[in-house]
Amino acid sequence: SIVSAISFSRFRTRTYYDRLTINKQMKEINNMNQQLQQLVHIDNLTGLYNRRFYEEKLPGLLAEFQANSDVCCMMFDIDYFKSYNDHYGHPAGDEALRAVSRILRDGLATEDTYAIRYGGEELFVLARVPSQNQALATAEAICSALEKAYIPNSGSPYGKITISCGLVYSARGQQATMDVLTEKADEALYQSKDQGKNRATLYAAHPD
């Protein structure tokens, strides 16, 4: 009986520690899976979120934001970037894109803001904002910060890398889709380009 009791006690102890080990391993696996999932949504070059994140995650985040806050979408495009790549080479272009991405991140709030490499030299932002004026001020500040960084670009009339932005503002409770807001931000971006680049333009349904 004593031997049986000791054996049973050892079995229970071993089972207990086996469960602890399994639970620890499961937590480590879950953490690794979460990290891998995050990497799937990160652009390797810039460190921003990628187009897959935009397509898979942003519509849900937009709906969540719209329920209780004002939101803004911004579309940025680096001016004369083709000329930059042609003159300085693509490795330099990659470095410039990294620098622009850092300036973009630094100019945005750290919470409730998602910066995405939309494609090529186009960068997209979804953010909660307190007002339309604040949204425009943020976009203008990012354009200004890049201009002050003075990254030379001999292919630009400005002599340095600049960026253009189009943005659209959506008040709380509005239910515009991601596609609609992106289209409007892109339209405002083209207005910035037409007006000389190196500026931010707020979308207007009937611009003057």
Side-chain angles (χ1 to χ4, degrees):
S1 298
I2 295 173
V3 172
S4 297
I6 293 172
S7 297
F8 181 69
S9 176
R10 287 177 176 173
F11 172 76
R12 291 185 61 185
T13 301
R14 186 167 60 250
T15 301
Y16 172 75
Y17 283 109
D18 286 345
R19 286 177 180 171
L20 286 181
T21 300
I22 291 171
N23 288 336
K24 181 180 179 181
Q25 289 174 341
M26 289 301 297
K27 287 181 181 178
E28 290 175 350
I29 291 171
N30 287 335
N31 288 336
M32 289 176 63
N33 285 336
Q34 290 177 2
Q35 291 173 4
L36 289 172
Q37 186 64 29
Q38 290 175 348
L39 289 174
V40 165
H41 289 130
I42 298 297
D43 177 66
N44 291 332
L45 178 62
T46 63
L48 304 179
Y49 289 107
N50 59 20
R51 184 63 176 265
R52 181 173 180 176
F53 180 88
Y54 168 90
E55 293 172 351
E56 294 181 355
K57 300 294 184 180
L58 225 58
L61 290 168
L62 173 64
E64 180 184 329
F65 284 6
Q66 287 174 326
N68 52 32
S69 63
D70 300 350
V71 299
C72 174
C73 291
M74 307 177 188
M75 182 72 81
F76 291 88
D77 185 76
I78 302 175
D79 302 324
Y80 305 103
F81 197 62
K82 184 181 184 304
S83 298
Y84 187 91
N85 277 327
D86 289 345
H87 182 78
Y88 298 96
H90 288 280
D94 288 348
E95 286 300 321
L97 190 51
R98 290 189 189 98
V100 172
S101 298
R102 286 193 297 270
I103 290 170
L104 175 66
R105 274 197 304 263
D106 291 344
L108 296 170
T110 56
E111 296 182 357
D112 296 330
T113 303
Y114 296 90
I116 296 142
R117 186 182 181 192
Y118 187 77
E121 68 272 20
E122 284 189 319
L123 310 174
F124 185 87
V125 172
L126 169 67
R128 293 185 197 263
V129 290
S131 68
Q132 178 173 281
N133 288 341
Q134 182 60 49
L136 181 58
T138 297
E140 290 175 336
I142 291 169
C143 293
S144 178
L146 179 58
E147 190 175 16
K148 291 176 181 176
Y150 204 93
I151 304 170
N153 182 7
S154 62
S156 166
Y158 294 101
K160 54 191 171 183
I161 287 183
T162 58
I163 199 166
S164 296
C165 176
L167 63 153
V168 58
Y169 169 83
S170 179
R172 182 176 61 181
Q174 293 181 351
Q175 298 299 315
T177 66
M178 197 75 255
D179 287 344
V180 168
L181 292 179
T182 300
E183 182 179 346
K184 290 179 177 180
D186 201 46
E187 185 175 330
L189 171 63
Y190 276 98
Q191 292 176 28
S192 288
K193 295 286 189 179
D194 288 342
Q195 293 168 10
K197 304 181 174 62
N198 190 28
R199 69 193 66 221
T201 301
L202 181 67
Y203 172 82
H206 302 287
D208 296 331

